[in-house]
Amino acid sequence: MTSQCQQCGEPAQTTLCKNCAKHMRRQASSLAKTIPELRALAERKAHIGERCGGVRGGEPGLPVSVHWLEVYEEAARLMLRLAGCVDLKWMLLPVEGWRPAYRAICRSWSRVVCSPSAGELADRLDRMLRRIDRLSTPSDGRVTVVQCPDCSTSLAVPQGMRDGWCPECGERLDLDMLVSGRLDAACRAVMTCSPAEAADWLTDRAGLRTTRKQVSNWLARGRLSKARRLGHGVWEFNQAELIEVRNRA
Ligand SMILES: [Zn+2]
Ligand SMILES: [Zn+2]
């Protein structure tokens, strides 16, 4: 009896054609390799991007991500679901049972690909692996350094991480709030100096080549509305405004 492959529509002897079955097998084995990595990310034992997690002394550590724990559980649960094609009992296991479940999948692979839900499971495998791939590619390595409100350990929060635990004291952290508080403070930061020093600050600290003449021009034209004149040649500049005006120049 010939039917259609649930994945690609080609004629197939079973639920999936040979090619799609082979692809699914490869995906299941990458999932098995990925699950321990997800667990390590959740426990902050792995690196995220260039930066090494858990660096002591000097470098701020990374908060423990709640998020990775959820992705780990989802991935492990999918593995149990695949093993459910071999024997339904696998689906009753807690997520930690994914390893023996994977071994059962390898032993009885044909039962997985012949299962009526093979097509749907192959889709879910693809989606899961694509998602993990997206999540584990650091967007641009940008981090905001915040302090744990409880123990004041410095933590480097990668962009997009919303909540987590402090690796030092175990406090649950609302990273969204800490990061926006940090950015607010940065927006209010001021410095007292001459236009020449402001130009140096922009050039050296903000990486925006600026001359004293430019800063004086902005002041003369009233483009730095937050700048206050304190005395002869001395001003209070709002740092965020300096960067904003320089970027528009
Ligand atoms: Zn196919
Ligand atoms: Zn802490």
Side-chain angles (χ1 to χ4, degrees):
M1 181 198 89
T2 305
S3 56
Q4 279 189 335
C5 168
Q6 280 186 1
Q7 279 290 89
C8 66
E10 293 290 312
Q13 304 297 326
T14 57
T15 319
L16 297 180
C17 74
K18 277 207 171 69
N19 280 337
C20 292
K22 220 194 274 171
H23 175 73
M24 187 182 180
R25 172 104 209 208
R26 271 200 304 272
Q27 297 286 70
S29 107
S30 354
L31 185 69
K33 285 196 204 92
T34 308
I35 294 174
E37 289 168 14
L38 293 172
R39 178 83 221 181
L41 278 172
E43 288 171 357
R44 229 175 44 80
K45 285 177 184 151
H47 300 204
I48 294 181
E50 300 291 296
R51 201 175 270 270
C52 183
V55 185
R56 303 280 153 158
E59 293 273 336
L62 284 162
V64 181
S65 164
V66 175
H67 178 66
W68 285 115
L69 200 61
E70 282 162 11
V71 182
Y72 157 77
E73 285 181 357
E74 225 177 292
R77 203 165 294 288
L78 180 56
M79 193 62 96
L80 296 179
R81 177 83 178 73
L82 286 168
C85 299
V86 180
D87 188 329
L88 281 175
K89 76 164 192 220
W90 289 110
M91 287 167 64
L92 305 173
L93 284 192
V95 290
E96 289 73 27
W98 71 269
R99 264 179 217 278
Y102 178 58
R103 284 196 291 272
I105 292 168
C106 293
R107 276 196 308 271
S108 316
W109 179 246
S110 60
R111 310 243 326 245
V112 180
V113 279
C114 295
S115 133
S117 38
E120 180 226 322
L121 287 171
D123 277 344
R124 285 184 52 188
L125 252 179
D126 279 339
R127 272 206 306 277
M128 185 81 226
L129 288 170
R130 267 205 307 275
R131 190 167 144 229
I132 293 169
D133 211 50
R134 264 201 319 275
L135 286 170
S136 54
T137 313
S139 43
D140 56 1
R142 249 196 291 170
V143 294
T144 307
V145 177
V146 302
Q147 249 90 45
C148 168
D150 226 48
C151 70
S152 8
T153 296
S154 292
L155 302 169
V157 183
Q159 234 183 4
M161 195 189 273
R162 312 189 77 89
D163 48 9
W165 291 291
C166 171
E168 279 304 313
C169 69
E171 175 81 359
R172 175 81 184 247
L173 306 169
D174 181 346
L175 297 175
D176 253 0
M177 196 199 68
L178 288 174
V179 168
S180 61
R182 179 71 189 73
L183 294 178
D184 276 356
C187 287
R188 283 193 305 271
V190 292
M191 61 183 174
T192 302
C193 62
S194 68
E197 285 164 328
D200 286 346
W201 180 85
L202 276 169
T203 306
D204 301 335
R205 297 289 302 280
L208 303 162
R209 259 172 63 99
T210 311
T211 61
R212 179 202 57 79
K213 197 156 178 250
Q214 278 177 299
V215 179
S216 299
N217 275 337
W218 299 333
L219 286 169
R221 293 190 201 143
R223 293 185 58 191
L224 292 167
S225 60
K226 289 176 185 160
R228 284 194 305 138
R229 188 172 182 179
L230 299 179
H232 187 70
V234 180
W235 295 71
E236 183 186 89
F237 293 98
N238 175 291
Q239 294 178 343
E241 186 183 53
L242 273 176
I243 291 176
E244 206 183 295
V245 171
R246 173 61 184 80
N247 272 331
R248 275 193 268 122

